[in-house]
Amino acid sequence: KEHITMNTKRNTLSVKKIRQMIGGEAGLDWVADQLTAVAQMYQIYESAQHEISTKLENLDAEFEVNYNHNPIHHIDGRMKDPQSLIGKIQKKGLDRSVDSIKNNIFDIAGLRVITNYIDDIYTVEKLLSQQDDIEVIRRKDYIKNPKESGYRSLHLVVKVPVFKANDVEKGPVEIQIRTIGMDMWASLEHELRYKTDVNRAEEFAANLVDNANALFDIEQNFQEIHHQL
Ligand code: GTP
Ligand code: MG
């Protein structure tokens, strides 16, 4: 079986490097302090992302052993780059402090879980959220209630403890769980939306909704065949 492992390299910025970059500059201590706090936050959040990713891989492996079925097709992970983080802070009119980021932005660490069938989405959700150390802090079911665009996906934000040298800190991770078909639609729609000028995009909106519905029908058919086998 091909591996489903999340494929990301860590991008750590050390406190020492920050001090070397900014150190000594008169009056810039506060910048170094802020950068340090952001680097520490990114490290915890990225570790939380790895914790969740491992949990998901383990669940998939157990299913393979016991039920001869893999709910998960593959997992993608990304950390929000600092530029989009700043964009989001501005868009939401948030205070530019690490505290306000921690209290308001939950998609700095992101995982996308692509499942084989529609039912697998809710299986993955149930098995993950029932674990003792997992706290679900947000849930949006865009499958039962698709977005106007036609977008379907189950969005969760979960918190998981990350063990540090002398402490434990919980980090939030946004998880988008969706089928191969929903993922295909979201990728193409995203590309079309960003490459097309906004006025022309309107022309195709209804068409894209039709395509999303057609893909959903097809995946329900596959689900039915899978049930019968
Ligand atoms: P944000 O501030 O954007 O996070 O808004 P929100 O918290 O209301 O999040 P929402 O539940 O709308 O989900 C945001 C994420 O879902 C986006 O970053 C996309 O990855 C995905 N998403 C939501 N709607 C669409 C859509 O219509 N098309 C595509 N391709 N992706 C979408
Ligand atoms: Mg978001």
Side-chain angles (χ1 to χ4, degrees):
K1 171 180 157 30
E2 61 186 298
H3 67 101
I4 60 165
T5 314
M6 182 187 61
N7 188 14
T8 53
K9 276 212 186 81
R10 293 202 190 207
N11 200 352
T12 316
L13 187 59
S14 74
V15 172
K16 189 176 166 194
K17 248 188 261 170
I18 294 169
R19 296 288 158 188
Q20 280 170 351
M21 271 159 34
I22 306 180
E25 301 271 353
L28 283 187
D29 268 359
W30 68 277
V31 177
D33 289 346
Q34 287 280 88
L35 268 179
T36 300
V38 170
Q40 287 166 341
M41 179 188 72
Y42 262 81
Q43 184 267 312
I44 296 299
Y45 285 20
E46 190 163 14
S47 297
Q49 183 195 52
H50 281 253
E51 293 282 355
I52 302 287
S53 178
T54 301
K55 283 173 178 291
L56 293 165
E57 287 165 31
N58 291 346
L59 286 169
D60 192 69
E62 189 204 336
F63 257 72
E64 184 165 355
V65 169
N66 291 329
Y67 309 107
N68 193 33
H69 167 61
N70 292 104
I72 300 178
H73 182 268
H74 70 279
I75 303 172
D76 285 333
R78 71 103 184 88
M79 294 296 294
K80 198 178 207 63
D81 62 67
Q83 215 175 333
S84 352
L85 178 60
I86 291 165
K88 193 157 184 172
I89 292 168
Q90 284 169 340
K91 208 180 86 189
K92 290 195 162 197
L94 296 173
D95 216 41
R96 294 191 196 197
S97 70
V98 176
D99 274 345
S100 99
I101 294 172
K102 285 185 174 175
N103 292 327
N104 294 286
I105 298 184
F106 304 110
D107 64 347
I108 291 175
L111 283 175
R112 196 166 278 161
V113 183
I114 314 305
T115 66
N116 284 314
Y117 297 98
I118 300 165
D119 287 355
D120 292 330
I121 294 171
Y122 296 102
T123 304
V124 169
E125 178 196 19
K126 178 170 173 282
L127 298 180
L128 182 68
S129 56
Q130 77 189 7
Q131 297 188 8
D132 284 350
D133 53 350
I134 292 284
E135 190 189 335
V136 180
I137 60 168
R138 276 186 180 199
R139 179 182 194 272
K140 291 186 203 160
D141 189 340
Y142 296 127
I143 299 159
K144 295 220 162 67
N145 305 297
K147 287 205 161 189
E148 242 177 68
S149 60
Y151 178 76
R152 282 176 174 81
S153 198
L154 179 67
H155 289 192
L156 303 175
V157 177
V158 306
K159 280 194 171 180
V160 65
V162 173
F163 287 83
K164 313 204 288 184
N166 299 304
D167 198 6
V168 186
E169 191 174 332
K170 284 190 173 185
V173 181
E174 184 186 84
I175 313 175
Q176 300 179 346
I177 315 176
R178 57 197 190 214
T179 58
I180 299 168
M182 294 171 195
D183 190 52
M184 170 197 154
W185 183 92
S187 305
L188 294 178
E189 189 261 359
H190 183 264
E191 195 197 66
L192 289 173
R193 197 146 39 93
Y194 286 93
K195 284 192 179 160
T196 318
D197 97 69
V198 184
N199 301 317
R200 292 221 60 200
E202 287 283 306
E203 259 174 76
F204 299 107
N207 195 321
L208 288 173
V209 173
D210 290 345
N211 286 331
N213 293 336
L215 277 166
F216 191 66
D217 284 347
I218 291 170
E219 291 202 296
Q220 281 179 313
N221 282 331
F222 272 108
Q223 176 85 72
E224 196 48 44
I225 295 169
H226 177 69
H227 275 164
Q228 285 173 21
L229 286 179

